[in-house]
Amino acid sequence: LDNFYKRQICLNEVGEKGQLKLTNARVLVIGAGGLGCPALQYLAASGVGSIGICDHDQVDYTNLHRQILFTPSDVGHYKAEISAKRVSQQNPLINVDVFLEKLTSQNVKSIFKNYDIIVDCTDNFKAKFLIHDSCYLLKKDLIQSSIYQFEGQLQTFNFSNDEKRNDGCFRCLWPKMPEANCVGSCEDSGVLGVVPGVLGSLQANEVIKLILGLPNLTQRQTLTFDLRNMQTSKIKWKKKTDCPLCSKRATINKIDAKTYLNLRPFEISSSDIDLNSVLVNILPKSEDLGFWTNKNIRHIHHIEAKELDKIQKMCEENEKVTFVCMKGHRSYALVEKMRGLGYSNCFSLAGGRGEI
Ligand SMILES: [Zn+2]
């Protein structure tokens, strides 16, 4: 293994010194999917000494055309565990840690704690804004990418550098989080596998350059790459004097669940769960995976949504009842139904079980 890094150490930009920097680097990849797989492989192979993988999802057959660390026999297993196993085999010289949790406003601080660079390989606005704001507030460097069909975008934020941190953020461009359904996800709009493959590799490239002190994309710059016509461009945006995050008039000063939820009526966020509220898991037993990420939730009742008489009794006997399902859709439908029946003390947990 002495020769593992030989071909990159001989680069003037790396050398023994640079390789040591890589060994000492601590990088967290959020999302072990289409972007995360290639990013993880190149970070591991280049010798980033400490890598974290945060993902609560399991491998599905529809992932395999683009999430190239997985094989059909991995279906049903946790992506974070499988990818950690694969990259550890790829490079036994590094240390890989796994977080099988969905990143939330509640756990972001503890998950980010041991890392300096965060690589956002997620596929939804809520996660992206939560990661971005947390990186800004906790002064972590961030490499962010997103893809849509044949197109990809890439941004690098050097928030650990005070001067660059004061030079603008993603909220200067997007002050408000867009509605969840305004752009399709891979799930409903489709994507060619090489697109996240290219963008995830570019994310690893930005991380490695950041560690080595080589030039990165600048603070308020988006690289766009259209893989249909092979056009790239760099778009520069302005720092906003009324940015909700990085200006003197900032309104986002801490990481709060409410910032990342567009709450509907009768919907509550995890930070609204109080001692007076009884929690009811309404998932069918066949879907209940039997684990709850938040250790603080001591007790949660389990009544399936179809057991309406039991649900009614629960609402009659308690001051406040909060329904929880997988993603917050079925619990919301149940609240609407119960409210229609006159039960005004029931609520739905926005985002579902991963939020608590
Ligand atoms: Zn800003």
Side-chain angles (χ1 to χ4, degrees):
L1 288 174
D2 287 348
N3 291 331
F4 200 106
Y5 306 119
K6 200 174 170 188
R7 287 287 186 275
Q8 70 187 33
I9 288 178
C10 66
L11 280 169
N12 285 337
E13 288 83 355
V14 184
E16 297 284 351
K17 248 188 189 168
Q19 195 59 52
L20 193 64
K21 284 182 187 169
L22 289 166
T23 306
N24 292 331
R26 306 181 301 171
V27 179
L28 175 68
V29 175
I30 306 167
L35 292 165
C37 285
L40 281 165
Q41 283 178 294
Y42 280 114
L43 292 174
S46 70
V48 169
S50 177
I51 296 178
I53 308 175
C54 178
D55 195 308
H56 66 293
D57 218 0
Q58 292 148 315
V59 181
D60 183 88
Y61 282 110
T62 62
N63 301 147
L64 299 177
H65 84 291
R66 67 187 186 284
Q67 302 183 13
I68 48 169
L69 278 170
F70 312 127
T71 67
S73 62
D74 298 324
V75 169
H77 292 92
Y78 284 105
K79 292 181 183 179
E81 283 183 339
I82 302 288
S83 51
K85 196 174 100 185
R86 298 273 146 76
V87 297
S88 301
Q89 286 167 338
Q90 189 189 357
N91 187 350
L93 304 168
I94 59 164
N95 182 53
V96 184
D97 283 314
V98 165
F99 301 89
L100 284 181
E101 293 160 71
K102 176 178 175 182
L103 193 79
T104 69
S105 54
Q106 317 275 311
N107 62 20
V108 63
K109 222 173 173 175
S110 68
I111 292 179
F112 278 19
K113 195 177 69 190
N114 292 325
Y115 300 95
D116 306 309
I117 301 175
I118 312 296
V119 190
D120 175 2
C121 296
T122 65
D123 63 355
N124 64 85
F125 290 127
K126 202 179 122 190
K128 292 200 176 294
F129 277 79
L130 170 64
I131 292 166
H132 170 268
D133 296 353
S134 302
C135 284
Y136 178 84
L137 293 167
L138 301 168
K139 298 189 176 184
K140 307 280 182 186
D141 293 326
L142 167 65
I143 317 292
Q144 191 188 52
S145 177
S146 50
I147 48 160
Y148 180 68
Q149 296 184 346
F150 283 84
E151 288 167 52
Q153 291 194 352
L154 182 68
Q155 277 106 205
T156 293
F157 297 99
N158 201 187
F159 290 139
S160 70
N161 177 319
D162 283 335
E163 200 180 312
K164 290 186 180 165
R165 188 170 177 267
N166 284 325
D167 195 33
C169 72
F170 200 55
R171 290 251 187 203
C172 292
L173 181 65
W174 293 101
K176 267 198 180 140
M177 193 169 76
E179 291 286 332
N181 301 324
C182 82
V183 180
S185 68
C186 293
E187 217 168 292
D188 37 60
S189 56
V191 66
L192 201 66
V194 290
V195 178
V198 169
L199 269 295
S201 303
L202 290 178
Q203 282 183 288
N205 186 49
E206 284 293 288
V207 173
I208 293 165
K209 286 189 299 169
L210 194 63
I211 295 166
L212 296 174
L214 300 172
N216 284 100
L217 288 169
T218 55
Q219 194 76 1
R220 289 171 281 102
Q221 195 175 43
T222 296
L223 174 83
T224 67
F225 195 169
D226 186 336
L227 279 93
R228 208 170 348 211
N229 56 20
M230 300 309 281
Q231 255 182 8
T232 61
S233 60
K234 284 180 184 170
I235 302 161
K236 189 104 177 127
W237 72 84
K238 285 204 168 79
K239 180 180 162 75
K240 261 198 159 172
T241 51
D242 59 347
C243 172
L245 185 65
C246 77
S247 73
K248 288 196 178 79
R249 284 188 269 165
T251 50
I252 302 165
N253 302 303
K254 62 180 173 67
I255 306 152
D256 183 352
K258 282 197 193 73
T259 314
Y260 309 98
L261 297 164
N262 295 316
L263 291 178
R264 294 173 284 187
F266 323 132
E267 227 175 11
I268 62 165
S269 75
S270 52
S271 56
D272 292 327
I273 298 173
D274 53 38
L275 290 171
N276 299 327
S277 182
V278 174
L279 285 175
V280 180
N281 165 15
I282 62 152
L283 287 171
K285 287 195 175 68
S286 59
E287 267 183 68
D288 192 14
L289 302 169
F291 92 89
W292 295 85
T293 47
N294 191 323
K295 322 283 181 297
N296 298 327
I297 304 294
R298 283 196 197 86
H299 190 66
I300 179 156
H301 298 270
H302 189 189
I303 308 174
E304 294 192 30
K306 62 181 184 193
E307 299 175 291
L308 212 57
D309 49 333
K310 286 189 190 169
I311 299 262
Q312 272 176 317
K313 198 162 171 254
M314 203 60 155
C315 292
E316 278 155 19
E317 288 174 355
N318 293 285
E319 194 182 317
K320 190 175 164 189
V321 178
T322 302
F323 301 129
V324 186
C325 69
M326 201 63 91
K327 292 195 166 163
H329 302 309
R330 283 173 282 180
S331 55
Y332 191 75
L334 184 61
V335 163
E336 285 188 314
K337 189 175 184 177
M338 297 305 290
R339 294 242 167 196
L341 293 171
Y343 295 94
S344 56
N345 62 334
C346 53
F347 297 86
S348 165
L349 182 75
R353 63 182 300 162
E355 297 299 319
I356 58 174

